[in-house]
Amino acid sequence: VKIDNHINRDLLLAHARRQLNQPDASAVSAHLRDCNACADDYGSILLKLRIKRVAAPEWIWQGIRTAMEESPQCRPSRFGLWPSLAVAALILVVCTTGYFRFRADRTQPFDVGQYLYALEVESTGPNPVNMRVHFPGFLAYDRQSALSDSQFQPQVQGYRLIEQRILKSGGLQVVQLLYDSGSDSFIVFIAPRKVIFNFGLFKLVDDEAQGITCRRAVCPRQDIYQFTTAKRKYVFVHKHNPSVGAGPLFAELMRSAP
Ligand SMILES: [Zn+2]
């Protein structure tokens, strides 16, 4: 496909379902990196695809049965069953609406895997340029807010915070911090604990870094750690370098995490 303007919904949907061939998928990915409008549409399509797979759970049906049995209108009356069916329908609407809001709130994923994969293929590791290219939808964010959100220091070991951005999309809020030492960089993503980071192709394993119990994405080229506290979820990304131990750096950052 050739993309002249914005990407139409059918194409985004096919991309989300991984039905496109490689050249088309690359063209769509390239456009999504540059276009916030299409990236937002794509995000909402991904969200809907996830929600569609959620069937109404058993407790909703149990609630309806109980309500019908307890409802005085269930007794035979000259109105027959219609009033209780109306009650049941209303309960179903209220329950499913609430349930799907609850699911949407809980399950909207941040698709970090596809961006990390692009970063890994490129093999430069995180830096100010590819952080913009590979992570679409993030906007400039206030430095003090970013530091108070994360409870991080502006300097950690030899690394200084040089850039902070925020992604806000349909209830999803992720802060992205870039630290740089002049010769080396790392990124940290910070989100409310409920946000799911989708790592896609990466396999997560349990790990421990300097006493910090965490999850690590298996990747030969990058050090990728996920750490969850009572309030927040953190993902740390650093280009793997045998002479720079990322574990101690990650652990020092996370010790102050609330
Ligand atoms: Zn577009």
Side-chain angles (χ1 to χ4, degrees):
V1 288
K2 191 165 165 290
I3 297 168
D4 294 322
N5 292 307
H6 290 302
I7 306 171
N8 71 46
R9 214 190 129 73
D10 289 344
L11 200 54
L12 287 176
L13 191 59
H15 188 58
R17 290 177 170 151
R18 309 207 190 284
Q19 292 165 340
L20 298 181
N21 61 32
Q22 189 51 50
D24 288 354
S26 299
V28 169
S29 296
H31 184 83
L32 290 177
R33 283 199 284 275
D34 295 336
C35 177
N36 284 347
C38 288
D40 277 354
D41 287 349
Y42 185 60
S44 63
I45 285 172
L46 286 177
L47 178 62
K48 280 181 192 141
L49 284 180
R50 285 186 70 92
I51 287 177
K52 261 189 198 162
R53 285 191 224 115
V54 179
E58 180 58 22
W59 59 260
I60 285 184
W61 297 109
Q62 278 170 0
I64 290 168
R65 278 196 289 271
T66 309
M68 284 185 77
E69 280 155 22
E70 288 171 357
S71 163
Q73 273 126 356
C74 273
R75 287 183 216 123
S77 76
R78 62 198 173 99
F79 299 111
L81 264 178
W82 288 110
S84 50
L85 285 178
V87 168
L90 183 65
I91 291 170
L92 180 63
V93 168
V94 170
C95 286
T96 49
T97 305
Y99 179 69
F100 285 136
R101 276 211 193 113
F102 163 78
R103 292 293 302 189
D105 188 39
R106 276 179 58 90
T107 63
Q108 182 168 20
F110 174 53
D111 205 351
V112 71
Q114 74 179 78
Y115 308 127
L116 292 179
Y117 185 68
L119 203 58
E120 189 204 9
V121 169
E122 205 174 64
S123 189
T124 52
N127 64 40
V129 176
N130 63 29
M131 189 168 90
R132 286 173 195 288
V133 173
H134 293 315
F135 296 87
F138 280 88
L139 303 171
Y141 190 41
D142 175 65
R143 184 181 168 89
Q144 283 314 315
S145 305
L147 287 170
S148 77
D149 284 355
S150 61
Q151 296 287 309
F152 287 172
Q153 299 302 315
Q155 175 137 10
V156 180
Q157 297 184 3
Y159 298 80
R160 282 185 311 115
L161 176 63
I162 63 164
E163 193 167 344
Q164 54 285 321
R165 304 201 301 160
I166 189 164
L167 174 73
K168 283 185 182 175
S169 169
L172 175 69
Q173 179 167 313
V174 182
V175 173
Q176 182 190 55
L177 305 181
L178 178 75
Y179 282 79
D180 188 85
S181 70
S183 57
D184 192 28
S185 309
F186 65 85
I187 309 179
V188 185
F189 296 97
I190 302 135
R193 183 188 164 97
K194 67 184 178 185
V195 171
I196 293 166
F197 282 79
N198 178 2
F199 281 86
L201 298 168
F202 292 91
K203 181 176 176 238
L204 286 180
V205 295
D206 290 331
D207 202 358
E208 195 196 309
Q210 313 264 308
I212 304 279
T213 303
C214 58
R215 306 268 287 159
R216 181 171 56 80
V218 178
C219 175
R221 295 194 197 165
Q222 294 179 78
D223 308 307
I224 304 168
Y225 295 98
Q226 177 175 284
F227 180 57
T228 306
T229 65
K231 286 184 181 167
R232 298 195 178 96
K233 202 171 270 177
Y234 297 82
V235 171
F236 169 97
V237 183
H238 172 257
K239 184 186 177 185
H240 185 67
N241 178 345
S243 63
V244 180
L249 187 58
F250 164 76
E252 182 172 334
L253 268 173
M254 294 307 149
R255 266 187 242 292
S256 59

